[in-house]
Amino acid sequence: MTSREFHPGKPWLDTDGRLIEAHGGGILYHEGIYYWYGENKDAENSEAHKQSGIDRVDVIGVSCYSSKDLYHWNNEGTVLHANEEPGHDLHPSHVLERPKVLYNAWTKQFVMWMHVDHGDYQFARVGLAVSERPTGPFRYVRSFRPGGYDSRDMTVYQDDDGTAYLICSTNMNSKVVTFPLTGDYLDVQNASAEHFVMPNEHMSRESPAVFKYHQTYYMVTSGCTGWDANPAEYAVAPSVMGPWTVVGNPCIGEHADRTYYSQSTFVIPVAGKEHAFIFMADRWNRYHLRESAYVWLPVEFSQNGAITIQWRDVWDLSIFE
Ligand code: GAL
């Protein structure tokens, strides 16, 4: 795709003409440039899934792409690499998912948070890596269980005042918890005390994506059906720390009950536009994970602040004008 249009679910090529490999991703906007970080799954599915039963690609690392317009993406390469050292968190036999990057204006560091796990998803930790540049290389720091909680699908959110939060699925995905990060973004604060539980209508929620509009925080999540699509759900809150109120499925129309065959990963605030947000999701291809496509759709607001996400075969940013 080289035009100034989005084609949700269609193969999306970078400026070199190669398929974009940035799954479970998130976007950082920094000094006029968007950076898209995501899982590099550019290999055949591994045979190892036969033991765990979960289709997977060996860990390669985290890709980064840059763009000024959200349509055209330059490949900045793999900015965090797998590590062959036996037992390393990022060993190819392990799991590295849902990387998200924040810029810390105080330390001037780019801080990457990610889900680090073993092939059976029982390690359940967050991992951290840092870099002085948005395009890496990122140095892996450590993994841990925030507040002692198991942590699987996760995201981070940076508020206008610079406070950042970790939002993760915990307690075997039956809860979503949020933690304020420390000032350097390298840990969670008050680990065991400051958490909140999102009251889930359907209990298990994952793949959280958080954004703020008119002083209300929105969290879109998916249900827990592995690589298979399920209905999205969103909740609203006056603070990232809650209390969160479940509203319902933001998707409408045909295939809304499968999130248009995709799973949330992030919501992108379009720079310079107060009411412009893009729902960013993965259309997983479980047998050929590297070919999993991206579904980007505009978030639409009604007067009472309710959101809808509807399918569009093709659209562009003029929708927000
Ligand atoms: C999903 C999760 C993905 C990946 C997958 C593995 O539930 O959202 O990030 O972990 O399971 O089956």
Side-chain angles (χ1 to χ4, degrees), residues 40-156:
N40 181 346
K41 288 187 161 350
D42 197 8
E44 289 302 326
N45 279 22
S46 119
E47 290 296 305
H49 80 279
K50 291 190 178 127
Q51 288 123 43
S52 66
I54 301 170
D55 298 289
R56 65 188 303 282
V57 170
D58 280 354
V59 175
I60 298 169
V62 175
S63 319
C64 175
Y65 294 81
S66 63
S67 175
K68 286 195 170 154
D69 61 9
L70 292 166
Y71 302 113
H72 302 94
W73 293 92
N74 298 308
N75 187 0
E76 301 285 354
T78 300
V79 296
L80 176 70
H81 288 270
N83 190 313
E84 299 278 346
E85 200 184 300
H88 192 279
D89 282 354
L90 306 187
H91 191 269
S93 64
H94 290 170
V95 166
L96 190 185
E97 292 179 339
R98 301 191 176 270
K100 309 282 179 300
V101 174
L102 298 170
Y103 175 64
N104 189 298
W106 176 46
T107 61
K108 305 211 177 337
Q109 263 190 337
F110 294 84
V111 183
M112 182 186 291
W113 286 73
M114 69 203 94
H115 171 198
V116 168
D117 221 320
H118 293 169
D120 60 3
Y121 286 85
Q122 297 307 306
F123 194 56
R125 290 175 170 223
V126 282
L128 274 176
V130 294
S131 174
E132 278 64 57
R133 284 178 299 277
T135 51
F138 281 79
R139 300 182 300 282
Y140 187 70
V141 181
R142 66 183 176 121
S143 71
F144 65 104
R145 288 189 161 197
Y149 290 84
D150 56 301
S151 174
R152 293 187 175 80
D153 278 6
M154 43 63 67
T155 192
V156 286

Side-chain angles (χ1 to χ4, degrees), residues 14 115 285 293:
D14 65 16
H115 171 198
N285 177 340

Side-chain angles (χ1 to χ4, degrees), residues 170-215:
T170 186
N171 198 22
M172 298 303 288
N173 295 339
S174 68
K175 293 173 182 171
V176 176
V177 282
T178 63
F179 297 91
L181 303 187
T182 51
D184 58 9
Y185 297 173
L186 296 176
D187 205 344
V188 294
Q189 278 187 46
N190 303 327
S192 56
E194 296 240 3
H195 72 278
F196 103 95
V197 177
M198 183 171 160
N200 302 301
E201 199 174 302
H202 308 297
M203 285 310 285
S204 300
R205 306 304 302 171
E206 60 182 7
S207 69
V210 173
F211 66 102
K212 178 164 82 169
Y213 177 68
H214 283 179
Q215 298 311 312

